[in-house]
Amino acid sequence: QVQLQQSGAELAKPGSSVKISCKASGYTFTSYYISWIKQTTGQGLEYIGYINTGSGGTNYNEKFKGKATLTVDKSSSTAFMQLSSLTPDDSAVYYCARESQGWYFDFWGPGTMVTVSS
Amino acid sequence: DIQMTQSPSSMSASLGDTVTITCLASQDIGNYLSWYQQKPGKSPKLMIYGATNLEDGVPSRFSGSRSGSDYSLTINSLGYDDEGIYHCHQYYEYPPAFGAGTKLELK
């Protein structure tokens, strides 16, 4: 069955960076894009961007350009998101999600909580 | 960017009720609209895609509809398992956008 496993919670200091992973299983990894979504205050969802898992090509929501960097390791079926120059506003739960052939998100990872605090 | 205005932000209903959640798109998105259910501490789960198509395994008590730029999620015969936050999502145009979410509680 399709599964997306994400790395554990992160506690980071302002100005630092974190790198979150999303390991896929149960399907052909390179046949589907992986997207990343931010959730703050347990309710609102914000789209960060996607990575073409076959080519490594990326597309970012303008708001997250310079903040998020998406990469992929096809050999381990893992997608990564690095968040840089962290501020308290980056504290959130970050989800990876598989983008279906129809562009909606059919499977989601369990989320990774990032807390930015001095 | 396309904006999705979701209402209500929260609601309370009784067991067995029928409830409707609505999203209004700021411009035409065709049927490129999906709905997700999110339980506390869990990730969102796909319920409806293409505005009206039920995802496999989702109870038929859930349905999606469209009237112009208004999209609705209706839940019939409400049960305690239906509590959670519901999100709409447009994927017609990049970047994809979500509504602000509707928190559904049972009385």
Side-chain angles (χ1 to χ4, degrees):
Chain A
Q1 70 282 21
V2 173
Q3 285 192 330
L4 298 174
Q5 291 177 271
Q6 294 187 231
S7 47
E10 300 269 5
L11 174 60
K13 295 202 181 305
S16 68
S17 298
V18 295
K19 191 171 185 177
I20 301 167
S21 66
C22 172
K23 182 173 175 59
S25 60
Y27 71 98
T28 301
F29 180 65
T30 53
S31 293
Y32 298 84
Y33 293 5
I34 291 288
S35 285
W36 291 85
I37 295 112
K38 176 183 182 182
Q39 184 169 39
T40 51
T41 67
Q43 192 142 336
L45 298 167
E46 279 187 284
Y47 184 79
I48 296 171
Y50 73 78
I51 187 162
N52 179 326
T53 52
S55 69
T58 55
N59 200 355
Y60 297 92
N61 184 343
E62 196 68 32
K63 179 178 178 181
F64 290 95
K65 285 182 179 177
K67 171 61 66 179
T69 303
L70 306 183
T71 56
V72 68
D73 176 8
K74 288 189 284 187
S75 68
S76 64
S77 298
T78 304
F80 300 91
M81 178 174 68
Q82 178 161 316
L83 299 169
S84 60
S85 302
L86 291 169
T87 73
D89 287 343
D90 297 317
S91 296
V93 176
Y94 293 87
Y95 295 100
C96 63
R98 191 180 83 162
E99 196 167 304
S100 74
Q101 308 290 2
W103 305 336
Y104 49 88
F105 307 119
D106 57 357
F107 290 94
W108 295 61
T112 296
M113 180 174 290
V114 174
T115 304
V116 182
S117 174
S118 54
Chain B
D1 294 359
I2 295 174
Q3 311 297 321
M4 302 300 296
T5 303
Q6 186 170 345
S7 60
S9 57
S10 65
M11 63 189 308
S12 181
S14 300
L15 206 63
D17 279 355
T18 294
V19 299
T20 298
I21 298 166
T22 299
C23 266
L24 173 66
S26 61
Q27 62 190 74
D28 178 43
I29 60 169
N31 285 332
Y32 292 90
L33 190 286
S34 59
W35 291 95
Y36 303 85
Q37 176 195 63
Q38 186 176 24
K39 300 287 183 73
K42 301 293 187 183
S43 54
K45 173 190 173 185
L46 177 66
M47 306 296 280
I48 301 277
Y49 63 93
T52 62
N53 299 295
L54 206 62
E55 173 69 347
D56 289 346
V58 174
S60 58
R61 303 182 291 102
F62 290 83
S63 63
S65 63
R66 172 192 176 188
S67 175
S69 295
D70 282 302
Y71 298 81
S72 297
L73 172 71
T74 298
I75 312 171
N76 294 309
S77 303
L78 205 59
Y80 286 111
D81 192 46
D82 298 331
E83 285 190 312
I85 299 174
Y86 290 84
H87 307 272
C88 66
H89 158 235
Q90 74 79 18
Y91 49 99
Y92 175 78
E93 183 179 278
Y94 195 87
F98 295 89
T102 295
K103 185 173 184 178
L104 173 61
E105 293 180 325
L106 264 71
K107 293 176 185 172

